Amino acid sequence: PLCPAVLCARARCSKCPKSWRLLAGRKREHIRSFRRTPEYLAFIRAYRGFVGDVIARVVGEEVAFQVPPTLRIHLPGARPLGKPHRDCEYPGHTGDEINFWLPITRACGNNSLFVESSPGAGDFRPLDLEYGECFRFDGENCAHYTVANDTGQARVSLDFRVIPASLYRDDFGGRIGSYPCELSSKRGSNDTPSVEASDAELLPSVGASDADV
């Protein structure tokens, strides 16, 4: 498949064809090829517009935001994506981040993301969201995780992190955690995104961050 997230999703729940397994061993090249496609470039243009027109307004100011967002596909029968964690457990997080979780399909029950209501509360609930809804939360300090998808319904979602521009300090080489970022105030719809993979994206397919695209 052209999209690396599709390969990762299939690998979690079934044996892949031999040609797919060859791609898995060439993850950096696979991501580069995908990011040169017109479809990916159109996706990034739409994403930048969404952050500038919607997310910055929700936050109340311009933001530094993760580019690209992380695309995750959770197929029926698939084991959990990653492990329970708080983003602050990984390097490169500042304490000023806001997480957004945006399902592109219906998300509920065991195909969704489980999040506690406040740091250390332990009252985990799966998010129940329709297409067109987005969830904002403190992913740096609130634990979150997924479970095996026994719902019979695939879930496709985007997640990304932003920092209010007034709080942003470029202490990590233009990154939020392991992810490249840019400022919404400097965005340009025709800017060409990098085709290079971030460190998080080169982790094994079922790693802690499990960054697929």
Side-chain angles (χ1 to χ4, degrees):
L2 182 61
C3 178
V6 175
L7 174 59
C8 289
R10 281 291 304 272
R12 290 188 201 100
C13 62
S14 63
K15 186 175 182 180
C16 291
K18 184 177 180 180
S19 59
W20 288 33
R21 294 198 298 272
L22 290 174
L23 279 176
R26 302 168 180 169
K27 198 166 188 179
R28 190 185 298 274
E29 291 79 6
H30 190 193
I31 291 172
R32 284 174 176 166
S33 296
F34 175 62
R35 290 184 177 172
R36 291 189 179 103
T37 63
E39 293 81 3
Y40 177 78
L41 296 175
F43 164 69
I44 290 297
R45 284 195 295 271
Y47 169 65
R48 284 171 168 156
F50 171 70
V51 171
D53 297 338
V54 177
I55 298 300
R57 290 186 182 182
V58 169
V59 174
E61 62 178 280
E62 299 290 349
V63 295
F65 64 104
Q66 173 187 332
V67 183
T70 302
L71 171 63
R72 304 185 201 268
I73 301 173
H74 201 182
L75 297 176
R79 56 186 179 269
L81 309 182
K83 62 182 182 180
H85 69 282
R86 300 173 179 84
D87 287 1
C88 64
E89 296 167 2
Y90 300 96
H93 297 281
T94 65
D96 299 315
E97 295 168 26
I98 303 168
N99 292 56
F100 287 89
W101 196 75
L102 176 64
I104 303 174
T105 57
R106 176 88 166 92
C108 60
N110 286 351
N111 80 0
S112 191
L113 180 70
F114 286 69
V115 186
E116 60 183 348
S117 62
S118 60
D123 54 347
F124 296 97
R125 296 281 191 280
L127 301 179
D128 191 333
L129 299 175
E130 299 285 353
Y131 172 75
E133 294 183 313
C134 185
F135 183 71
R136 168 182 174 168
F137 70 108
D138 179 10
E140 272 198 282
N141 301 299
C142 290
H144 48 285
Y145 62 91
T146 62
V147 299
N149 183 3
D150 60 3
T151 67
Q153 297 179 325
R155 184 258 294 165
V156 182
S157 62
L158 302 175
D159 56 83
F160 55 95
R161 297 142 187 84
V162 311
I163 299 175
S166 61
L167 301 176
Y168 177 64
R169 303 180 309 277
D170 187 7
D171 294 334
F172 301 102
R175 293 176 179 269
I176 297 175
S178 298
Y179 306 95
C181 72
E182 59 187 59
L183 290 168
S184 59
S185 58
K186 297 181 180 179
R187 68 186 174 96
S189 60
N190 295 318
D191 291 347
T192 302
S194 172
V195 300
E196 298 301 325
S198 68
D199 293 341
E201 292 167 314
L202 296 176
L203 291 171
S205 297
V206 193
S209 68
D210 197 38
D212 293 337
V213 168

